[in-house]
Amino acid sequence: MAIAVVRVGYEYVNCPQVIWEVRTVELSGHDMDISEIGGWNLDIHHRYNFHEGILHKGDGTNVHLKNKPKMMHTIMGDGMQRPLYCAYCNGPALDQRLLAPVTLASGADGSIYVGDFNLIRRISPEGLVTTIVELETSQVAYRYHLAMSMAGNRLYISDPERHQILRVMNVTGSTDTRKNVEVVVGSGLKCLPGDKSACGDGKPAKDARLAYPKGIAITLSGEMYIADGTNVRFVDIDGIIHTLIGDHYHKMHWKPFPCAGTIPVQKYNPRWPTELAINPLDNSLHILDDHIAFSSTGELFIAKSYSQLIVSK
């Protein structure tokens, strides 16, 4: 089975831009037939019929996976809270307690990273928990977000209180969990509404001012998107920051979004974007803005032709 990306462009009279619609579709390959000897085969030779959701086992039995109930399993926590400062917060996941989990991220090796109030904790594929970062309690007064870069296996943390994006230096653990982060975006000064010129666009991301960083999304090539206050900001592969969507207005300047169609990106000011996600198939960026979800095709961003948004509600 393979994934095909289909792009269809629409041209309209008196419209200089091509409106692209992107869809993905699964292309099925040739099914491998099981043995014709009475429907039997070697008992370790199984075949999965993904069309019907049936596992044909080599011993002649069938397992109808689509008919099996969805099961939920606990991988960490027992319903009780851990103390704020705990001396025994590492070990088997089922033996560990959580204080206030607020965010999750997953790694390419199957690890799960849990933002558990003041601790960033890693659940390894073997089910062992390690605390990799300890944040100051002042840093977690407001909700932070985690994001993993699959290209470099790097974990990022948004710090809305300090107006910065942090990167975990060692994702498997450190002897000093309080010093296992470094600043990658933000000088620590706040980008104030209405003061766009002082927020650092076109300059190194470390020297920029952030308003209130929330959700983060990172492309396979290492570009970073940040939901920052009422804007969506973008750090390119050279480490230069730009404002991609929004004009650094206060959210009181927000106007209702049209119900359908497209609008020029310069005319759209988000109200309060919180979550971002990158589709790895077509590199499109998906944004959750208060009560609205919309997406924009990746080609417009990569080519830096930020002229239109493809909206779906």
Side-chain angles (χ1 to χ4, degrees), residues 235-247:
V235 180
D236 61 29
I237 57 176
D238 297 319
I240 305 300
I241 194 168
H242 314 269
T243 296
L244 191 62
I245 304 174
D247 202 21

Side-chain angles (χ1 to χ4, degrees), residues 4-186:
V5 180
V6 181
R7 296 178 174 88
V8 179
Y10 296 89
E11 294 185 353
Y12 298 93
V13 178
N14 299 326
C15 180
Q17 300 293 334
V18 178
I19 308 301
W20 289 95
E21 184 173 349
V22 182
R23 292 289 185 270
T24 57
V25 62
E26 294 182 356
L27 300 179
S28 302
H30 177 71
D31 289 339
M32 181 181 66
D33 294 331
I34 60 176
S35 171
E36 299 297 335
I37 307 177
W40 292 76
N41 208 326
L42 297 175
D43 58 0
I44 59 172
H45 185 188
H46 308 322
R47 168 182 169 270
Y48 179 57
N49 181 347
F50 58 85
H51 294 293
E52 303 297 334
I54 302 174
L55 176 64
H56 302 284
K57 302 185 70 174
D59 60 4
T61 60
N62 296 321
V63 180
H64 297 264
L65 298 179
K66 282 190 175 180
N67 295 333
K68 286 185 170 294
K70 301 292 189 299
M71 303 297 293
M72 180 179 290
H73 303 277
T74 298
I75 61 173
M76 182 179 180
D78 62 359
M80 303 294 290
Q81 287 188 321
R82 66 165 175 85
L84 179 63
Y85 303 105
C86 57
Y88 304 100
C89 281
N90 297 332
L94 290 176
D95 297 337
Q96 294 299 314
R97 291 179 173 179
L98 295 160
L99 178 58
V102 295
T103 181
L104 292 173
S106 60
D109 64 347
S111 297
I112 299 175
Y113 299 91
V114 184
D116 180 26
F117 198 64
N118 62 323
L119 302 182
I120 309 297
R121 310 172 75 181
R122 172 180 179 257
I123 307 175
S124 72
E126 295 76 28
L128 298 177
V129 173
T130 304
T131 298
I132 61 174
V133 174
E134 182 177 352
L135 300 171
E136 296 180 10
T137 53
S138 61
Q139 290 178 267
V140 294
Y142 299 93
R143 183 189 172 188
Y144 57 92
H145 293 71
L146 297 178
M148 174 63 73
S149 170
M150 294 302 179
N153 200 36
R154 309 298 294 271
L155 182 65
Y156 295 84
I157 309 167
S158 66
D159 188 341
E161 181 70 13
R162 297 188 178 184
H163 319 296
Q164 292 176 322
I165 303 297
L166 311 176
R167 179 168 58 202
V168 178
M169 292 186 286
N170 188 342
V171 296
T172 59
S174 172
T175 54
D176 191 345
T177 56
R178 295 189 178 187
K179 297 182 179 180
N180 194 25
V181 293
E182 58 184 345
V183 177
V184 292
V185 183

Side-chain angles (χ1 to χ4, degrees), residues 211-227:
Y212 192 94
K214 302 178 288 295
I216 312 169
I218 304 169
T219 68
L220 292 176
S221 57
E223 299 156 317
M224 179 186 296
Y225 296 92
I226 307 166

